[in-house]
Amino acid sequence: MSRIDLSLATVDCAACPIRHRAVCASCEGEDLARLAAMKSYRTWKAGETIVLEGQALSFVASVVEGCATLTRSLEDGRMQMVGLLMPSDFVGRPGRTTAPYEVTAATKVTLCMFDRRAFERMMTETPHLAGRLLEMSLDELDAARDWMLVLGRKTAREKVATLLAIILRRAPTAARPLRAELPLTREAMAAYLGLTIETVSRQMTALRKDGLIRLDGARGILCEDLAALIAEAGDDGDGALLT
Amino acid sequence: MSRIDLSLATVDCAACPIRHRAVCASCEGEDLARLAAMKSYRTWKAGETIVLEGQALSFVASVVEGCATLTRSLEDGRMQMVGLLMPSDFVGRPGRTTAPYEVTAATKVTLCMFDRRAFERMMTETPHLAGRLLEMSLDELDAARDWMLVLGRKTAREKVATLLAIILRRAPTAARPLRAELPLTREAMAAYLGLTIETVSRQMTALRKDGLIRLDGARGILCEDLAALIAEAGDDGDGALLT
DNA sequence: CACGTCCATTGACCTGCATCAAGGCGACGG
DNA sequence: CCGTCGCCTTGATGCAGGTCAATGGACGTG
């Protein structure tokens, strides 16, 4: 999901510094100004649909705040999450007119949006922008492929441990115990992991009873020993968890 | 996996016309010549490893002939295929130095290779090349996300039907019955689908007994009614199968 | 021809997760 | 204060697919 080093996000644009770095890490003054000139903001409440599957998509955007999900569905309603967008992640596809999956707000979420056509025009005139987007797409591709391994081969316990570890790794402070607030409901976690709500819940309590995590309400999680949790995730030495 | 319309592959390069269209659909004379000047070929036998997981990757390439797989593994040996490369597909990642997954020849396979550094240099000088690679990456991303749905939510029967349908859709002739030679062993099919060999085998015979396919040896498959097979795959109206 | 290797098939059995069903708990409104 | 709604947890049960094991066919080799 094309995560950007937020420590770089020190750009001279008060409104959404993160986004500008994310879209165009090497943009200089004038390009940055042009990007800034054509942006607009919009906010959705948790649970609202941002784009329907198959719908025409007239904008590209990046997440300023909150958390959004990408999902695809089978005709009988079974649903799989295929992407999780966090602040600084990019939404939309230059050169594509329709959305191949549904975009939904997981929490209250704010996007910084650009008209797709205008953005594409700028891409042709600003060569390194395409290179930057390519890099971000490759990051997303890596993340998608890591998730294919999770979905295809991990047990329920490993799946849940994997997701918790990923979220805990982003914890705002490094002090032990690590603490994070889950941006996802059990339903969203299940959609992400290819499980049911019940199985997610059972594995959460199992991890708690085994002393690997503690729960603080339904959404707060605490972890004394992240390495132990990562060991439960069954990853090889190379996995996304360790990068 | 960035499939290219092969009907466009009428380019004035005798050795590997497909590849040039694939890498740079809009390249004109001079650019094409520069690409051609720095290429080299290499062939692997079925089963050989092309690149190890985590290994430095000094080239980018495209598949001229045959079939290669991308796989990722857990530490205990469980393995998941995360990509299947067919002729005209692109391998390698401009801007990345190491391979995040293992690349293996599924059949005898020939790659047309470029030194990665030289290719990257050319990218900076040939703006539309980055745009083209972005488009290909987005195709791969779509394919990966479709597979996440397959891995996370489909039953074994649906998974096998999905894979067979994808392969039959590429059948060289449209005459009924459709006929295709599987480029994959049962083991590779299982790796792709997140199943075991035995389950793949059982579902193949179940589909045969239900009259949806016929088998011709271990690798040949025949299908009178592709629509019926696609119905078994459980896809929504939007799926990759119907495009 | 006998033998070994590789790949696929089939059967018997078991287990991990889905399914179905019943509460629990906190937030919010009347 | 109570009722209700959304979200989560827990229990009981069943089955899809994994695991273990045996067999068979295709092919190459001594």
Side-chain angles (χ1 to χ4, degrees):
Chain A
M1 268 120 287
S2 52
R3 283 169 205 112
I4 307 299
D5 181 352
L6 299 184
S7 66
L8 294 177
T10 52
V11 174
D12 57 349
C13 168
C16 60
I18 293 168
R19 190 232 350 127
H20 284 151
R21 269 296 184 213
V23 172
C24 183
S26 56
C27 280
E28 298 300 326
E30 194 190 343
D31 292 341
L32 211 54
R34 293 182 56 201
L35 271 175
M38 59 183 186
K39 74 193 175 189
S40 68
Y41 294 92
R42 189 166 157 198
T43 297
W44 284 263
K45 288 200 286 276
E48 286 184 323
T49 299
I50 299 174
V51 188
L52 283 171
E53 197 169 334
Q55 199 176 40
L57 189 58
S58 64
F59 62 88
V60 299
S62 65
V63 179
V64 177
E65 181 178 23
C67 176
T69 67
L70 311 181
T71 56
R72 275 188 66 77
S73 301
L74 297 176
E75 57 187 1
D76 62 4
R78 281 173 287 173
M79 171 176 284
Q80 175 64 46
M81 198 186 301
V82 297
L84 182 59
L85 302 171
M86 305 287 273
S88 90
D89 286 341
F90 191 78
V91 198
R93 313 151 58 70
R96 307 304 176 87
T97 55
T98 58
Y101 22 72
E102 185 162 329
V103 184
T104 311
T107 62
K108 181 184 172 205
V109 64
T110 302
L111 299 187
C112 176
M113 303 161 76
F114 302 87
D115 177 71
R116 184 172 58 77
R117 307 299 294 270
F119 191 86
E120 285 166 9
R121 225 174 300 122
M122 176 151 178
M123 257 182 65
T124 64
E125 295 158 17
T126 315
H128 60 242
L129 193 52
R132 177 71 188 132
L133 284 168
L134 175 60
E135 196 182 319
M136 295 175 77
S137 297
L138 291 174
D139 281 341
E140 285 196 72
L141 194 52
D142 281 347
R145 285 174 163 163
D146 280 343
W147 270 110
M148 289 174 69
L149 177 62
V150 173
L151 290 171
R153 297 299 178 191
K154 285 193 179 179
T155 65
R157 183 184 176 94
E158 289 168 337
K159 286 178 174 179
V160 172
T162 304
L163 180 55
L164 294 181
I166 287 176
I167 290 170
L168 282 165
R169 274 184 46 74
R170 302 194 179 209
T173 67
R176 302 299 152 122
L178 284 176
R179 181 173 205 300
E181 203 71 18
L182 290 172
L184 302 175
T185 64
R186 294 288 182 273
E187 188 175 7
M189 292 175 68
Y192 206 159
L193 297 170
L195 298 171
T196 58
I197 301 178
E198 295 94 328
T199 299
V200 171
S201 187
R202 276 187 252 272
Q203 297 302 332
M204 294 280 285
T205 62
L207 291 173
R208 176 171 57 73
K209 285 182 178 165
D210 294 346
L212 288 154
I213 56 171
R214 275 180 293 146
L215 303 182
D216 176 15
R219 297 293 190 88
I221 51 176
L222 298 156
C223 179
E224 300 283 354
D225 185 354
L226 186 57
L229 186 60
I230 289 175
E232 290 293 330
D235 260 305
D236 70 359
D238 235 28
L241 290 183
L242 305 173
T243 56
Chain B
M1 270 117 289
S2 56
R3 284 169 204 113
I4 306 299
D5 182 353
L6 299 184
S7 66
L8 294 178
T10 52
V11 175
D12 58 349
C13 168
C16 61
I18 292 169
R19 191 244 333 139
H20 283 149
R21 269 297 183 211
V23 171
C24 183
S26 55
C27 281
E28 297 300 327
E30 194 190 342
D31 291 342
L32 210 55
R34 294 181 56 200
L35 271 175
M38 60 183 186
K39 74 191 174 190
S40 69
Y41 294 91
R42 189 166 157 199
T43 297
W44 286 262
K45 289 200 286 275
E48 287 185 323
T49 299
I50 299 174
V51 189
L52 282 172
E53 198 169 334
Q55 199 176 39
L57 189 57
S58 64
F59 63 88
V60 299
S62 64
V63 178
V64 177
E65 180 178 23
C67 176
T69 67
L70 312 181
T71 56
R72 276 188 63 78
S73 302
L74 298 176
E75 57 187 2
D76 62 3
R78 281 173 288 173
M79 170 177 285
Q80 175 65 47
M81 198 187 299
V82 297
L84 181 60
L85 301 171
M86 305 288 273
S88 90
D89 286 342
F90 191 77
V91 198
R93 311 151 58 71
R96 309 304 177 87
T97 56
T98 58
Y101 22 72
E102 186 161 328
V103 185
T104 311
T107 62
K108 181 185 171 202
V109 65
T110 302
L111 299 187
C112 176
M113 304 162 75
F114 304 87
D115 176 73
R116 184 172 58 77
R117 307 301 292 271
F119 191 86
E120 286 166 7
R121 227 174 299 121
M122 176 153 177
M123 259 182 64
T124 63
E125 296 159 15
T126 315
H128 59 239
L129 193 52
R132 177 71 187 133
L133 285 167
L134 175 59
E135 197 181 318
M136 295 175 75
S137 297
L138 291 174
D139 281 340
E140 285 195 72
L141 193 53
D142 281 346
R145 285 175 163 161
D146 280 342
W147 271 109
M148 289 174 70
L149 177 62
V150 173
L151 290 171
R153 296 300 179 191
K154 285 193 180 181
T155 65
R157 183 183 176 92
E158 290 168 336
K159 284 179 175 179
V160 172
T162 304
L163 180 54
L164 294 181
I166 286 176
I167 290 170
L168 283 165
R169 275 184 45 74
R170 302 194 179 208
T173 66
R176 302 298 153 121
L178 284 176
R179 181 173 205 300
E181 204 71 17
L182 290 172
L184 302 175
T185 63
R186 294 287 183 274
E187 188 175 8
M189 292 175 68
Y192 205 160
L193 297 170
L195 297 171
T196 60
I197 301 177
E198 295 94 326
T199 299
V200 171
S201 188
R202 277 186 252 272
Q203 297 301 331
M204 294 280 283
T205 62
L207 291 173
R208 177 172 57 74
K209 285 183 178 163
D210 293 347
L212 288 153
I213 55 170
R214 276 179 294 145
L215 303 181
D216 175 16
R219 297 295 188 87
I221 50 175
L222 299 156
C223 179
E224 298 285 354
D225 186 354
L226 186 57
L229 187 61
I230 290 175
E232 290 293 328
D235 261 304
D236 69 358
D238 233 26
L241 290 183
L242 305 174
T243 56

